[in-house]
Amino acid sequence: MNNPNIVIIGAGYGGIMTAVKLQKSLNVNEANITLVNKHSYHYQTTWLHENAAGTLHHDRTRMQINDLIDTSKINFVQDTVTKVQPDDKKVLLENGELSYDYLVVGLGFEAATFGIQGLKENAFTISSINSARLIRQHIEYNFAKYNNEADKKEERLNLVVGGAGFTGIEFVGELANRVPELCKEYDVPREKVRIINVEAAPTALPGFDPELVEYAMNSLEARGVEFKIGAMIKEVTEDKLIFEKDEKREEISTNTVVWAAGVQGNSLIVDAGFETNRGRIPVRGDLRAPNYDDVFVVGDCALIMNEETERPYPPTAQIAIQQAEHTAENLKKLVQGNNHLESFTPEIQGTVASLGHNDAIGVVFDDKKLFGWSASAMKKLIDNRYLLKLGGIGLVLKKGKLNFFK
Ligand code: FAD
């Protein structure tokens, strides 16, 4: 019998970790493994807000895929998936096609814009190295442009972030650190710059412990972040954002709106005809797609329910990595002729949100709350642990966050 073809699409947390685990657990003569990704590099999505604000260079966030995998065991194809055809067991690429016996879908997320007028056309999203670099350059350009115009335009210096969830809060935290540097570099008075965080829910960081939320808001406000809470964004144009709060419409003149208020699974999975729920595939216990025994789904494309809360788990890197490790184990079983697959249960080890250099909030080890430096150090440890799993101590030394005081 021929070796089975395992095709992994997407080399984010879910895809790359599946590949790295499989290369350790399977011999070359047991399966043909192909990893497809649109870029030559893997990036840490959880650091993109730092790249977007300009507090961390994007080269720290990305790493070449060929340096992470054993190319004698895994065939890396740099290409863009254009269509998945699960009934034909095929993946179409911009430059070819692949047939599979087993498919791992790890194509990640895209922004959910909820039909808000002008948002798709006029707002930025933090979703890749390219989009983060664009935001950084756009903000810098506006600071540089400000003093070159006779009529100084306030929209150049009003930085608006849509959403005060995890990503929105982490991004405004970085902006709060970056803005004073930009003001100095471009001779712009600090009081001219506004960082405005607009959130529709009645609180920032919905779902977080109220004490942590209060700490986060106080810390950010002290560094100049303005919150508009309970404010529903209605429209975004080239030079303003319109929102409704307490039944009143208000406008902020801005040409920088960064949307961080919602994600859904990659739209290719809807186009492929998989059953989806809110743009994600409600996977079975063993992480296979409904009706397809040969398709595993990891990361933000997968929807898994939390039995305790009866709500879906929020998509996180933490869960994507665990799903990848689990899927590699299950694939190994299938390849070796064992059809008894294990069910997946996430082990939530904690959640830590950064508020900028040296500051963060989080809950770890079930219910231990962390604030400030200790939370920030914990976040760095979590990040370094991922790098250790992915590429050993060498990768930690090269890309890790080793300065716990910055
Ligand atoms: P991704 O990491 O998005 O990777 C998808 C991969 O697929 C990418 O490499 C992409 O290039 C590739 N790809 C996409 N489309 C195609 C295509 N058509 N063809 C080929 N390749 C394709 N989670 C946490 O647990 N902790 C955090 O602190 C945290 N912070 C975050 C901060 C920010 C700013 C953001 C945006 C998210 C954060 N998250 C965090 C969420 C976390 O990043 C995601 O849950 C995680 O990235 C999902 O991993 P994934 O493997 O599904 O997809």
Side-chain angles (χ1 to χ4, degrees):
M1 205 182 99
N2 288 337
N3 288 340
N5 286 332
I6 301 176
V7 174
I8 304 165
I9 50 176
Y13 293 96
I16 194 85
M17 193 53 92
T18 307
V20 165
K21 288 285 164 190
L22 277 178
Q23 80 186 6
K24 286 187 186 145
S25 60
L26 287 179
N27 289 323
V28 189
N29 56 6
E30 285 183 294
N32 309 317
I33 307 171
T34 304
L35 173 66
V36 183
N37 195 60
K38 63 163 89 159
H39 308 111
S40 64
Y41 52 82
H42 161 72
Y43 52 82
Q44 293 237 56
T45 308
T46 59
W47 293 4
L48 288 176
H49 59 291
E50 298 174 58
N51 308 145
T55 47
L56 182 78
H57 194 271
H58 53 266
D59 282 341
R60 278 286 301 284
T61 299
R62 62 178 168 179
M63 41 214 111
Q64 291 300 313
I65 290 170
N66 276 339
D67 293 340
L68 298 173
I69 57 171
D70 177 347
T71 49
S72 69
K73 286 186 163 177
I74 295 189
N75 172 32
F76 172 54
V77 176
Q78 187 191 338
D79 208 335
T80 298
V81 176
T82 54
K83 201 167 176 40
V84 180
Q85 296 181 325
D87 293 324
D88 304 329
K89 294 173 166 268
K90 276 196 174 132
V91 174
L92 307 191
L93 309 174
E94 261 174 18
N95 302 299
E97 65 174 54
L98 294 166
S99 297
Y100 62 79
D101 296 296
Y102 298 111
L103 178 69
V104 180
V105 178
L107 292 171
F109 67 94
E110 51 187 49
T113 50
F114 309 117
I116 296 171
Q117 206 179 329
L119 189 65
K120 207 167 170 198
E121 298 77 13
N122 298 307
F124 296 89
T125 56
I126 307 174
S127 51
S128 63
I129 293 282
N130 285 334
S131 72
R133 186 165 42 196
L134 181 64
I135 294 169
R136 190 199 78 211
Q137 295 208 341
H138 170 85
I139 293 173
E140 284 181 11
Y141 173 80
N142 277 289
F143 271 75
K145 190 84 179 155
Y146 183 74
N147 279 328
N148 280 286
E149 289 169 325
D151 62 327
K152 303 225 179 308
K153 297 192 172 76
E154 64 172 11
E155 70 256 28
R156 296 203 182 279
L157 304 181
N158 286 344
L159 311 176
V160 183
V161 178
F166 203 93
T167 304
I169 287 291
E170 289 204 318
F171 183 49
V172 292
E174 295 304 315
L175 284 178
N177 285 131
R178 180 70 176 139
V179 161
E181 293 172 4
L182 288 169
C183 288
K184 212 167 155 196
E185 191 173 342
Y186 295 98
D187 301 321
V188 171
R190 173 64 186 88
E191 62 277 10
K192 297 274 180 205
V193 185
R194 292 173 70 194
I195 305 168
I196 308 156
N197 194 184
V198 184
E199 168 60 52
T203 170
L205 289 167
F208 262 67
D209 178 278
E211 199 187 351
L212 296 177
V213 177
E214 198 188 334
Y215 176 93
M217 288 183 74
N218 288 342
S219 162
L220 293 166
E221 279 172 341
R223 283 184 282 143
V225 176
E226 296 171 45
F227 286 98
K228 305 274 181 201
I229 300 294
M232 184 78 81
I233 297 176
K234 291 290 175 186
E235 188 181 345
V236 181
T237 70
E238 272 178 21
D239 57 5
K240 64 175 176 295
L241 172 134
I242 300 161
F243 66 91
E244 211 170 85
K245 184 171 158 62
D246 303 328
E247 296 178 10
K248 274 200 287 229
R249 270 171 99 81
E250 290 183 44
E251 274 184 27
I252 303 171
S253 68
T254 177
N255 65 7
T256 308
V257 175
V258 177
W259 177 245
V263 292
Q264 61 193 23
N266 192 306
S267 50
L268 284 173
I269 61 175
V270 178
D271 302 343
F274 290 114
E275 180 184 329
T276 51
N277 179 342
R278 302 175 216 194
R280 297 159 68 197
I281 302 175
V283 288
R284 292 180 268 162
D286 55 22
L287 300 178
R288 287 190 284 187
N291 307 320
Y292 293 97
D293 282 350
D294 45 14
V295 179
F296 291 83
V297 191
V298 293
D300 286 8
C301 287
L303 183 133
I304 53 168
M305 292 301 287
N306 182 335
E307 310 272 293
E308 274 172 35
T309 61
E310 294 181 359
R311 292 176 58 81
Y313 279 100
T316 61
Q318 180 178 183
I319 291 181
I321 295 161
Q322 291 178 17
Q323 288 175 327
E325 291 170 325
H326 192 88
T327 295
E329 278 298 314
N330 275 340
L331 274 168
K332 179 182 166 192
K333 285 190 176 181
L334 285 175
V335 167
Q336 296 179 344
N338 176 354
N339 290 330
H340 297 287
L341 303 190
E342 299 290 334
S343 262
F344 173 75
T345 310
E347 279 174 36
I348 306 301
Q349 286 145 353
T351 308
V352 186
S354 149
L355 304 172
H357 301 323
N358 247 340
D359 201 5
I361 48 160
V363 180
V364 290
F365 313 126
D366 274 348
D367 57 359
K368 170 117 185 68
K369 292 184 215 173
L370 297 178
F371 304 84
W373 181 84
S374 56
S376 164
M378 178 59 79
K379 179 112 183 149
K380 287 172 188 146
L381 281 175
I382 294 168
D383 290 340
N384 292 340
R385 187 165 166 257
Y386 169 67
L387 293 172
L388 186 68
K389 271 188 185 186
L390 188 62
I393 193 72
L395 192 60
V396 178
L397 293 174
K398 206 163 147 199
K399 300 282 183 180
K401 292 191 172 165
L402 303 174
N403 184 348
F404 288 86
F405 295 95
K406 190 169 167 275

